[in-house]
Amino acid sequence: MTHRVPTVSALTAAGIVLPSLGADTASPSLNLITLGRVRADVALRRADVLLRGCA
C-alpha cells in the first residue's frame, strides 16, 4: 500500500508506535489503513498529535 510508509514515518516521528497498523485488505480500492488495537495512553497521544497538527 502506498500510504503505509508516510503514515508509519509520521507516527514514528511523533513517538507513536501502532504494532497492528496495516492495510485494510477487505477494500483495497479505498486505500484504507487499519489502525488496529492500541492502549488507551497511545490513543490519547495520537489524538493529541492530530490536534496539534490541525492547529
Side-chain angles (χ1 to χ4, degrees), residues 1 5 10 13 15 19 22 24 26 28 31-33 36-38 40 43 45 49-50:
M1 170 175 254
V5 173
D24 180 352
N31 290 326
L32 298 176
I33 296 173
R37 296 170 54 159
V38 298
R45 282 192 9 239
V49 167
L50 290 171

Side-chain angles (χ1 to χ4, degrees), residues 6-51:
T7 301
V8 172
S9 297
L11 292 171
T12 301
I16 298 173
V17 177
L18 301 174
S20 300
L21 182 70
D24 180 352
T25 57
S27 52
S29 63
L30 296 176
N31 290 326
L32 298 176
I33 296 173
T34 301
L35 297 176
R37 296 170 54 159
V38 298
R39 295 185 325 260
D41 64 307
V42 174
L44 291 172
R45 282 192 9 239
R46 183 178 178 275
D48 182 56
V49 167
L50 290 171
L51 288 171

